[in-house]
Amino acid sequence: MTGTGHSILPGDITWATSDPSVATVSPTGLVTTLAAGPVTVYATIDALADSAQLLVFDPFSVLELTAGGGFTCAIAAGGSGYCWGNNFLGRWGTGSSMDRSVVPR
């Protein structure tokens, strides 16, 4: 709903991405990632526009996923381990106790 009380329907918004080889966006705003890299998602309705910048990482198939208190870890199909979130007391085993939103391998 707009600030003036008008309803916004999904078809009223025009969606686009800066690089369709990295990510696409459906008419309803669902973003699908295709490859690693930076991409910007744009939304436009009438004279209003906004955008969000995303950094897409290499996709991987997850064999196992475990979530704990503030962190999540995954085992990929190739055997690599990935963790993100709270790294309290260095529980990721990377030699650092810094929290990260980027997945270390």
Side-chain angles (χ1 to χ4, degrees):
M1 186 162 293
T2 68
T4 58
H6 294 96
S7 295
I8 298 174
L9 301 174
D12 295 339
I13 303 171
T14 302
W15 297 93
T17 64
S18 60
D19 189 345
S21 69
V22 174
T24 60
V25 61
S26 75
T28 60
L30 177 67
V31 175
T32 301
T33 60
L34 304 170
V39 68
T40 303
V41 178
Y42 301 98
T44 306
I45 182 168
D46 296 329
L48 302 174
D50 207 349
S51 64
Q53 295 180 344
L54 307 174
L55 180 57
V56 179
F57 292 93
D58 288 325
F60 59 91
S61 297
V62 174
L63 296 177
E64 187 174 336
L65 185 71
T66 302
F71 69 98
T72 304
C73 292
I75 302 293
S80 297
Y82 301 85
C83 293
W84 57 94
N86 183 326
N87 188 25
F88 182 68
L89 298 177
R91 58 180 102 170
W92 293 353
T94 61
S96 167
S97 61
M98 182 189 324
D99 293 347
R100 296 175 193 242
S101 58
V102 176
V103 181
R105 296 182 189 192

